[in-house]
Amino acid sequence: MQDESSKMWKAATQAIHVGHEREAFGSLVTPLYQTATFVFDSAQQGGERFAGNEPGYIYTRLGNPTVAELERKMAILEGAEAAAATASGMGAVSAALLANLQIGDHLVASNAVYGCTFALMTNQFARFGIDVTLVDFSEVELIERAIKPNTKVIFCETPVNPHLQVFDLSAIAAIAKRHSLTSIVDNTFMTPLLQQPIALGIDVVVHSATKYLNGHGDVIAGIVCGSEAQLHRVKYEILKDIGAVMSPHDAWLILRGLKTLDVRLQRHCDNAQRVAEFLEQHPAVTRVYYPGLKSHSGHRFIGQQMRRAGGVIAFELAADFTQAMAFVGNLKLFSIAVSLGDAESLIQHPASMTHSPYSPEARAAACIGDNLLRISVGLEDCDDIIADLSQALAALV
Ligand SMILES: Cc1ncc(COP(=O)(O)O)c(C=O)c1O
């Protein structure tokens, strides 16, 4: 474990070093404790550990040293007291919400969120008597107006999937505090290196670690960060019984991915900025959504709430559905795939893919049209990315 000086390190240094505990052999890299269970010295010791009277591991669903190192690192990076690693981003979203909601409760959420988060809140929670009101979070007064006596949680992502609108986290945190609600923010698109919601007053941060945190497209995983009290509920009241915990191998891969997060993000952001500027001036593109562009409503938050604009861009083509699909098919470097934050540039069609759980009406309200495409700009040489987009766009003009 590092001494107090590690608190003064910059995030890029922390992403590599913090949370690491020297083990018996002095391994530089965190060992992978690929075990389901842990052996007790005696039956008495087992009982004491279950009773919480003695520290130590019991069973990997309840805790594992490799996973614990990732949790320590993520808590420090997010400026949180504690973190819990989950089996997926949706595991993190559900655990954070379930830890704060019960039958008869109400939550206020942004009307534009990742498709499965939308489905969880509108379909699954309805079955358990939890009510949701979806509003446009870019108008903060709508959030306050939607609060009812039984409201317990405010939830959003920023930037939003897929339009990259940016919401004012300090204003959202202030509303939550004024009404004694728990604020939960999905920080997947930014990672703690580009945005730290807890420093702005948000209570709980969730991530799909599948994306930038891991960064190599080979893991499905999630993280919840917040206070000790919140994380105690998430770990020992929700994840323990629901079982959506992260495997040690996935934690090990994410720990490896985090070491390069800072350099990867710099390249993602540099590439995305150039690609967004290229798309914005192209005659076959009618609109580009990227907070790094001066034309984007979220641009004023760059350098303040968010350090940079990230690696995801959405854009609309001067094309109908068939032409948009043909454009996607003509790309050679891009892979047609959902997900984001990988080394490879990816393209997807939100209306038929990530946001297909939305009803047509909800999709229209969230402005997810048939000609909207979302790209995750990868780590390739940006000249090659732009050349690929350019040759596929040429067919549309
Ligand atoms: C913003 C956001 N949150 C949560 C998720 C869900 O993450 P996972 O696929 O790891 O469950 C996604 C997936 O794309 C996402 O984009």
Side-chain angles (χ1 to χ4, degrees):
M1 201 47 148
Q2 287 80 31
D3 62 19
E4 284 292 295
S5 63
S6 65
K7 290 191 183 143
M8 306 301 289
W9 288 339
K10 298 269 200 285
T13 313
Q14 289 184 330
I16 296 168
H17 291 282
V18 294
H20 186 55
E21 271 176 3
R22 271 284 192 107
E23 47 62 70
F25 299 105
S27 167
L28 173 69
V29 172
T30 311
L32 169 53
Y33 288 96
Q34 187 71 26
T35 182
T37 198
F38 296 84
V39 178
F40 308 128
D41 290 339
S42 63
Q44 192 195 12
Q45 184 184 53
E48 291 297 308
R49 286 200 186 164
F50 268 91
N53 298 332
E54 182 191 297
Y57 291 98
I58 297 175
Y59 184 67
T60 281
R61 179 157 45 75
L62 312 179
N64 172 286
T66 311
V67 178
E69 176 158 333
L70 174 64
E71 292 172 338
R72 283 194 299 276
K73 197 185 282 287
M74 281 305 300
I76 293 168
L77 288 172
E78 281 291 2
E81 287 173 10
T86 59
S88 65
M90 284 316 302
V93 170
S94 359
L97 288 170
L98 289 173
N100 288 284
L101 292 164
Q102 60 183 30
I103 185 166
D105 285 348
H106 171 251
L107 83 141
V108 179
S110 150
N111 63 359
V113 284
Y114 171 60
C116 292
T117 303
F118 176 84
L120 174 76
M121 294 188 303
T122 55
N123 301 339
Q124 305 311 325
F125 282 2
R127 294 173 51 225
F128 297 98
I130 298 167
D131 188 23
V132 59
T133 302
L134 301 170
V135 295
D136 179 356
F137 270 40
S138 52
E139 294 185 44
V140 276
E141 55 286 355
L142 294 183
I143 305 173
E144 197 137 27
R145 229 179 284 158
I147 294 170
K148 302 181 188 178
N150 59 340
T151 306
K152 295 286 161 36
V153 167
I154 300 184
F155 181 96
C156 72
E157 305 165 0
T158 178
V160 172
N161 190 355
H163 280 107
L164 290 311
Q165 290 126 298
V166 180
F167 301 140
D168 185 339
L169 288 178
S170 303
I172 293 166
I175 294 174
K177 291 216 173 358
R178 216 163 31 245
H179 295 269
S180 303
L181 311 177
T182 301
S183 50
I184 306 178
V185 167
D186 185 330
N187 203 22
T188 299
F189 274 40
M190 291 278 93
T191 85
L193 269 58
L194 295 183
Q195 173 171 280
Q196 288 174 301
I198 289 173
L200 301 172
I202 296 297
D203 298 305
V204 178
V205 168
V206 294
H207 282 279
S208 168
T210 311
K211 312 293 172 4
Y212 294 102
L213 295 179
N214 177 54
H216 295 76
D218 46 15
V219 156
I220 295 284
I223 305 275
V224 185
C225 302
S227 66
E228 289 283 2
Q230 273 286 346
L231 267 293
H232 193 273
R233 279 209 299 282
V234 166
K235 272 189 182 174
Y236 302 114
E237 289 175 25
I238 305 296
L239 288 175
K240 173 177 81 64
D241 296 341
I242 286 192
V245 296
M246 189 183 287
S247 92
H249 186 240
D250 289 350
W252 188 83
L253 285 169
I254 298 166
L255 282 165
R256 183 167 69 166
L258 283 173
K259 293 183 187 181
T260 56
L261 180 61
D262 184 64
V263 280
R264 286 189 286 108
L265 279 175
Q266 288 182 37
R267 176 71 165 244
H268 281 299
C269 293
D270 288 347
N271 279 359
Q273 184 69 37
R274 266 191 70 196
V275 169
E277 287 168 10
F278 161 77
L279 290 171
E280 196 172 43
Q281 54 72 46
H282 200 285
V285 177
T286 49
R287 186 136 185 214
V288 182
Y289 302 92
Y290 182 65
L293 294 175
K294 288 198 180 72
S295 57
H296 191 271
S297 60
H299 189 68
R300 68 193 167 95
F301 291 98
I302 304 285
Q304 302 186 12
Q305 174 171 304
M306 51 205 281
R307 286 178 198 110
R308 296 195 65 187
V312 178
I313 302 171
F315 59 99
E316 281 157 7
L317 292 172
D320 59 20
F321 176 76
T322 315
Q323 290 167 316
M325 291 299 102
F327 161 78
V328 171
N330 282 337
L331 289 165
K332 295 183 170 56
L333 179 62
F334 277 78
S335 301
I336 308 169
V338 295
S339 205
L340 53 109
D342 295 333
E344 296 83 358
S345 287
L346 307 177
I347 185 159
Q348 67 108 2
H349 180 243
S352 64
M353 298 179 191
T354 47
H355 290 67
S356 57
Y358 277 60
S359 65
E361 299 74 41
R363 227 170 14 247
C367 298
I368 301 170
D370 270 350
N371 60 347
L372 180 78
L373 296 167
R374 189 193 79 187
I375 55 176
S376 168
V377 181
L379 301 176
E380 301 96 341
D381 189 306
C382 199
D383 290 345
D384 294 326
I385 299 173
I386 290 177
D388 193 32
L389 289 166
S390 185
Q391 62 80 25
L393 285 169
L396 296 174
V397 286

